[in-house]
Amino acid sequence: MGGAIVGRRIGLLLAGLLLLTGGLAGCRPREEKPFPSRPITIVCPPAPGGISDTLTRALAAAAQPEFSVPVVVENKPGGANAVGLNYGAHSAPDGYTVTYVVAELAILPHLGLSPISPDDFDLLARTNYNPAAVTVRADSPWRSLPQLLEAARARPETIRAGNSGTGSIWHLAAVALQEAGGARFKHVPFGGAAPAVQALLGGHVDLVCVSPTEVQAHVEAGKLRMLAVLTTQRDPLFPDVPSARELGYTLDIGAWGGLALPKGVPADRRERLLAGFRRAFGQREFQQMMAERGVRLAWLEGEPFRRFVQTQSEANRRLIARLGMNLTRGDVGPWYFPRLLAGLVLTLLLATAVVGVLGWRSKVRTTIRGGVGSARYSMLEEAEARTMSGGAWRIGVLSLLLIALLPLVGFLASCTLFLFTAALFSGRVRVWQAAVYAGAAGVGVWWLFGSMLGVSLP
Amino acid sequence: MSEAFRELWTGSTMWLMLAGVVAGIVIGALPGLTATMGVALLVPFTFWLPTLPALMVLLGVYVGAMYGGALPAVLIRTPGTPAAAATTLDGYPMAQAGKAGLAIGISCITGVVGGVFSTLVLMFAAPQVARFALQFGPAEYFALAVFGLSVIASLSERSLLKGALMGACGVLLATIGLDPITAVPRFTFGLPALLEGLALVPVLVGVFALGEVFYQSSLPEPDKSLFRHLGRVLPSRSDLRRITLPTLLASVTGTLIGALPGVGGDVAAFVAYDQAKKVSRRPEEFGEGSVEGLAAAECANNSVTGGAMIPMLTLGIPGDAVTAVILGALLMHGVRPGPDLFEKQTPLLAAIFLGLLVANLLVLPVGLAGAKLFAQTVRAPRHYLFPIVVVLCVVGSYALNNSLFDVGVMFLFGVMGWALRRADFPVAPLVLGLILGRMTEENFRRALILSGGSWSIFLERPLSATLLLLAALSVALSLRQRYHRRKVSAGGSA
């Protein structure tokens, strides 16, 4: 027994030492090397796989030789891009974190969803601008935009416009279109542009306002018909489709993306980054890859970019203010489901409690029933489990400590420490065994995730 | 076709594919690293490869990951990918009873059968299946979600009431985040991390894996003498007889559900599991280590692969998140999936078919060869195994979005999983509710917007009415099966 206590003390001592070394490894002396001297991260709010992700990864690859350090992309998906934008705006202003800002930056503040606005960023340059295009099914009666708007005026709120989510850029595009044409659509939000296009193909909605790239394959296959692009110029992909300006509508709406820094990055570093990305952007390979993917590159830097974002933000604010006034007919509202379910949960909870009390005495009978597996749940073991629940508490508290330490001392130190103490506290291994185990397993997991799979562990 | 075959058979392409499959199995087996992430991670590396080998690597990863997810699900009750959630239901009890090798073997074999079946459907009936998938509008998606929720009735083995309660809690948890229709934040408490709702992987990992670690830590060490036949991998003849029908059913179900954009392997596996239970002669074994349940779940989530490729290749609309990434990769290589690609029947299309087929077949030797080895995991003493599982839970839930918040969610659900287990509440309905909740609400409200508020839309549309009827039938059948079993067991113990 005494030996075990001594073992534990030594264990705690070792644990403390481990913690110390981990902490020391974390803080290196200040570096005075020329910028950039370590990897640059581009925060990409959208999830992997989409246009934004493709663009940032290709740009990062092109920028790597410009900076002579690795340029890595880190996706931070979630909350209509609010999570990633928030993260980027609050990153350290040392120039090593660049954020790929997207159209939602000029939308979210007006929806009241995120306190992040364009003013929270030092905007570097716009990289791309994909205009909205009005697309209908090829077998629909409308052959031109004026025809469609005429029909929508004649029978308001009957023509169903699919969009990629309430408050999304493609929703605002459809609203801007109806405002310009004095018409009213029935707006149906979907979970993205692709599901909206799918619904259009299946005849569940009548039109979508999304980028030309997203409907290209179907227009070329003759399933869909593009009526107009909602901007001032024709789209190079579809030179036969008129622009809104030609048809007499003053519209210029589309999805854009660009690079931005958190506020407070030193001017020389800012210039270095801007120059490097400008050259990367100009590379023929990058340009060609984006053209193949249907991304419309549109470089715009400095003051004009800031003005562009301001104009977008102002236009979005006005559209969203209108939006609030006509709620969608037929919708049961955001709280219908939660209320229904809360009621259901309460009723079921009550019923379970009643049945539990009533069935108390017959419990013995029901637990004896059953084959091999259900024996695990027998009353006998349940009682045993209660006496032994110390095991669960021990590993539970240790896991909680691990999670608390993780952001403070980094992954390797906290996990090794956890593995060590958890093994030791089981009381079945010696100190050296636990140490070897913790070292091997901690480094192993770290190597697998951190080095092999490129997960950026804290 | 023969041209594509020759091109595929060049040594280097095959090796790349094998490497893809192995990498996929590893990625799938690690919790938090989903098939989507694995494919997305590898896409940049394929820029430097010609189109065909690049595609083969990605297909290899996709198929490998779908199988890899089963390994931790069986061995440590940790679904490696969300699609393996249903695999834990019977795979883990089998491993606990000393049949880990067999469980992995069955996962592997049925997974390959499902994958090959769905590839054959992709090859010979893709345009027809795609046309069928397009008929699914909001009303149909809602009806399908209700059908999926009806599975709760058969997942609630010991108490229907508790199961229903857990299911309702799951659906309620799914309402956290931005409301899908009006973009109003719900239950987010001002936290931006909650705007998107609870991420599925941390919840799954917490409730199944961490909860199990907590629960098992309070129990005495199990009897290791059970594990003498750990190394048996191939199913016996009677096992094979039992799993044939569920596997075939699951292949069809998985392929069809996979072909519907937005519905993935997680739903397919639960639905197939329920079907297997309904046709089984020994439904009482489900949840206690039934080979049929395991076969159905694993077969269904693998047959989703071919199914999900159908809308991607024929319509350019990805069937799930993984195919969305593969679609991006194809576009990067200058291939534009869509009606054109299919009608022209290019050699590339033939190569994709063959590639998918070969990737599935490669899983068989790799999976079976590894099964014996992987099965040894359950032999590891708990004081060594459990801390590693905890670390994997933490890293896995972090890796998904590089978010410490998700780690917190994982821990919270770990505690919950343990408490529910102690109180004998089933967790599978909770998970199913969470998976299907958003789809249910979103499409219900979207359908009502389309109909202008009239509920009759759900019954007027034939496909939606059929699915709702099937849901009612499914619940009725489950209840009947329960009733009969109760009677039998009551008679037996009296």
Side-chain angles (χ1 to χ4, degrees):
Chain A
M1 200 66 208
I5 290 171
V6 172
R8 263 184 208 183
R9 278 206 189 133
I10 297 174
L12 285 174
L13 193 72
L14 271 178
L17 275 175
L18 258 171
L19 191 69
L20 206 63
T21 35
L24 282 175
C27 48
R28 295 194 194 90
R30 275 179 71 94
E31 48 213 314
E32 297 289 342
K33 289 177 211 151
F35 177 83
S37 59
R38 56 185 172 92
I40 296 172
T41 304
I42 304 182
V43 176
C44 176
I51 281 190
S52 308
D53 182 60
T54 312
L55 186 142
T56 41
R57 281 181 198 278
L59 188 63
Q64 204 139 318
E66 299 294 337
F67 295 117
S68 320
V69 292
V71 181
V72 293
V73 173
E74 194 176 313
N75 297 92
K76 280 268 172 192
N81 294 329
V83 175
L85 291 171
N86 227 332
Y87 177 84
H90 293 130
S91 59
D94 54 9
Y96 286 105
T97 309
V98 182
T99 308
Y100 178 76
V101 289
V102 283
E104 277 78 13
L105 179 63
I107 298 175
L108 288 167
H110 309 303
L111 286 172
L113 288 181
S114 164
I116 294 295
S117 78
D119 302 329
D120 296 309
F121 281 102
D122 181 358
L123 297 166
L124 277 183
R126 187 180 70 183
T127 51
N128 58 307
Y129 181 75
N130 279 54
V134 184
T135 308
V136 297
R137 251 190 327 284
D139 59 10
S140 78
W142 312 299
R143 311 212 144 257
S144 70
L145 185 62
Q147 271 183 16
L148 171 73
L149 289 171
E150 180 60 40
R153 269 196 298 274
R155 291 162 63 212
E157 283 190 38
T158 52
I159 294 179
R160 303 162 295 179
N163 64 53
S164 55
T166 297
S168 67
I169 186 70
W170 302 139
H171 181 204
L172 295 185
V175 174
L177 175 66
Q178 68 177 14
E179 296 282 313
R184 281 232 305 280
F185 301 127
K186 179 188 277 188
H187 297 279
V188 190
F190 287 84
V197 172
Q198 182 200 339
L200 178 65
L201 285 169
H204 308 291
V205 296
D206 303 308
L207 73 98
V208 293
C209 287
V210 298
S211 79
T213 333
E214 283 154 329
V215 288
Q216 189 184 2
H218 308 287
V219 174
E220 279 168 2
K223 307 264 191 221
L224 299 180
R225 181 190 304 137
M226 197 184 291
L227 298 181
V229 284
L230 300 184
T231 180
T232 52
Q233 290 163 359
R234 293 193 175 203
D235 194 289
L237 284 177
F238 296 95
D240 300 335
V241 175
S243 73
R245 173 182 281 176
E246 286 170 51
L247 298 169
Y249 305 102
T250 44
L251 281 169
D252 186 5
I253 191 153
W256 55 270
L259 300 173
L261 296 170
K263 289 249 167 170
V265 176
D268 57 325
R269 292 190 174 190
R270 182 184 194 281
E271 286 317 306
R272 179 80 185 82
L273 286 169
L274 185 57
F277 279 117
R278 192 193 294 125
R279 275 201 300 279
F281 185 85
Q283 279 178 23
R284 210 160 49 87
E285 276 177 10
F286 172 77
Q287 296 262 342
Q288 201 181 342
M289 192 179 272
M290 290 300 106
E292 275 168 15
R293 185 74 209 263
V295 179
R296 263 172 81 175
L297 294 176
W299 185 265
L300 190 70
E301 66 180 67
E303 192 48 36
F305 179 37
R306 276 188 286 279
R307 268 206 308 280
F308 167 81
V309 175
Q310 282 311 326
T311 325
Q312 290 276 325
S313 180
E314 185 49 33
N316 293 339
R317 191 186 59 75
R318 269 183 284 121
L319 283 176
I320 288 166
R322 301 271 179 96
L323 209 85
M325 279 181 267
N326 47 17
L327 275 171
T328 318
R329 221 154 46 88
D331 186 25
V332 290
W335 297 102
Y336 182 84
F337 250 70
R339 276 196 198 126
L340 192 76
L341 286 164
L344 191 63
V345 167
L346 282 179
T347 317
L348 288 169
L349 208 57
L350 207 68
T352 314
V354 169
V355 170
V357 170
L358 287 182
W360 193 252
R361 265 163 286 170
S362 62
K363 198 178 175 188
V364 185
R365 209 159 30 119
T366 48
T367 41
I368 289 168
R369 159 191 71 91
V372 193
S374 62
R376 280 220 310 270
Y377 298 93
S378 70
M379 300 254 305
L380 209 78
E381 288 199 7
E382 224 172 83
E384 203 174 343
R386 224 163 264 138
T387 55
M388 285 194 57
S389 69
W393 282 110
R394 203 161 47 215
I395 200 154
V397 170
L398 283 177
S399 325
L400 195 59
L401 274 175
L402 163 68
I403 293 167
L405 276 177
L406 193 61
L408 298 178
V409 302
F411 170 79
L412 195 55
S414 58
C415 281
T416 315
L417 181 66
F418 167 79
L419 289 165
F420 178 73
T421 35
L424 201 64
F425 281 1
S426 70
R428 287 166 204 239
V429 292
R430 293 166 194 280
V431 177
W432 68 269
Q433 283 173 323
V436 168
Y437 158 78
V443 172
V445 173
W446 185 67
W447 175 78
L448 192 58
F449 277 83
S451 305
M452 292 292 288
L453 300 162
V455 176
S456 49
L457 296 165
Chain B
M1 206 62 153
S2 65
E3 189 190 330
F5 190 73
R6 256 200 314 276
E7 224 176 307
L8 190 70
W9 203 247
T10 60
S12 63
T13 311
M14 282 303 277
W15 282 114
L16 277 170
M17 195 160 200
L18 186 64
V21 167
V22 174
I25 292 178
V26 173
I27 287 169
L30 291 171
L33 294 183
T34 54
T36 318
M37 212 164 138
V39 175
L41 280 173
L42 279 173
V43 165
F45 293 106
T46 64
F47 288 169
W48 295 285
L49 290 172
T51 308
L52 192 73
L55 200 61
M56 293 307 126
V57 176
L58 297 181
L59 291 178
V61 173
Y62 183 23
V63 171
M66 276 298 174
Y67 160 68
L71 293 175
V74 167
L75 295 173
I76 51 175
R77 205 173 183 240
T78 310
T81 57
T87 307
T88 59
L89 299 179
D90 279 305
Y92 181 71
M94 270 181 80
Q96 290 297 293
K99 289 188 278 188
L102 182 62
I104 295 175
I106 287 181
S107 304
C108 184
I109 292 167
T110 56
V112 170
V113 170
V116 169
F117 176 87
S118 70
T119 310
L120 292 177
V121 173
L122 170 70
M123 286 166 79
F124 298 112
Q128 290 78 4
V129 175
R131 258 204 301 282
F132 170 73
L134 276 183
Q135 309 217 325
F136 272 68
E140 287 77 17
Y141 272 106
F142 167 74
L144 180 67
V146 171
F147 178 63
L149 287 173
S150 73
V151 172
I152 288 175
S154 86
L155 290 177
S156 322
E157 196 39 55
R158 279 184 284 278
S159 157
L160 192 61
L161 205 55
K162 284 178 173 176
L165 176 63
M166 287 290 96
C169 285
V171 180
L172 187 61
L173 284 173
T175 65
I176 293 176
L178 282 188
D179 159 38
I181 301 295
T182 57
V184 171
R186 295 184 299 193
F187 310 113
T188 58
F189 310 104
L191 296 169
L194 274 179
L195 281 180
E196 195 87 338
L198 288 175
L200 189 58
V201 167
V203 174
L204 283 180
V205 168
V207 106
F208 281 116
L210 196 66
E212 179 70 12
V213 166
F214 291 167
Y215 182 77
Q216 292 286 338
S217 295
S218 350
L219 296 180
E221 189 102 7
D223 183 11
K224 296 282 177 187
S225 67
L226 272 175
F227 298 159
R228 255 171 314 167
H229 303 295
L230 213 52
R232 212 188 102 212
V233 170
L234 293 174
S236 68
R237 193 166 293 215
S238 80
D239 287 335
L240 279 180
R241 250 202 311 279
R242 283 182 64 191
I243 62 177
T244 304
L245 182 60
T247 306
L248 290 179
L249 276 176
S251 299
V252 178
T253 311
T255 308
L256 287 181
I257 289 186
L260 292 171
V263 198
D266 40 11
V267 180
F270 275 111
V271 170
Y273 180 84
D274 176 49
Q275 283 173 342
K277 189 169 177 179
K278 295 225 161 77
V279 299
S280 169
R281 289 215 193 118
R282 298 184 224 170
E284 71 281 356
E285 280 182 19
F286 278 66
E288 312 285 356
S290 158
V291 284
E292 294 153 87
L294 174 71
E298 262 313 297
C299 174
N301 76 33
N302 276 52
S303 51
V304 162
T305 51
M309 298 290 276
I310 292 176
M312 195 269 266
L313 288 174
T314 56
L315 305 169
I317 291 168
D320 63 8
V322 190
T323 42
V325 181
I326 295 180
L327 177 68
L330 280 175
L331 290 169
M332 294 281 248
H333 282 280
V335 184
R336 193 167 285 282
D340 262 2
L341 179 75
F342 233 83
E343 267 150 34
K344 285 183 194 143
Q345 288 285 333
T346 53
L348 182 78
L349 193 69
I352 294 177
F353 292 163
L354 271 177
L356 206 54
L357 209 56
V358 174
N360 270 298
L361 291 174
L362 280 178
V363 168
L364 199 62
V366 176
L368 287 182
K372 256 195 174 93
L373 187 72
F374 297 134
Q376 301 304 323
T377 312
V378 293
R379 238 192 252 277
R382 289 197 317 202
H383 50 272
Y384 283 140
L385 184 62
F386 284 177
I388 292 192
V389 174
V390 174
V391 167
L392 280 177
C393 290
V394 169
V395 182
S397 48
Y398 175 81
L400 187 69
N401 284 332
N402 296 329
S403 148
L404 281 169
F405 183 84
D406 284 348
V407 178
V409 168
M410 189 275 301
F411 182 78
L412 208 68
F413 275 87
V415 175
M416 207 164 122
W418 168 75
L420 290 173
R421 190 90 197 257
R422 286 287 298 270
D424 202 11
F425 277 83
V427 292
L430 180 87
V431 167
L432 190 62
L434 185 66
I435 289 173
L436 284 167
R438 198 150 256 248
M439 176 175 159
T440 314
E441 174 181 19
E442 188 175 312
N443 287 294
F444 174 74
R445 290 170 61 189
R446 199 173 285 141
L448 284 185
I449 290 175
L450 283 171
S451 72
S454 159
W455 286 48
S456 56
I457 184 171
F458 300 111
L459 298 178
E460 278 164 2
R461 300 183 57 100
L463 210 50
S464 143
T466 313
L467 280 167
L468 288 174
L469 195 71
L470 279 176
L473 209 64
S474 164
V475 174
L477 274 175
S478 291
L479 293 179
R480 187 165 154 257
Q481 223 174 18
R482 270 170 69 90
Y483 175 73
H484 275 279
R485 210 154 49 244
R486 282 275 155 94
K487 234 170 46 178
V488 170
S489 63
S493 64

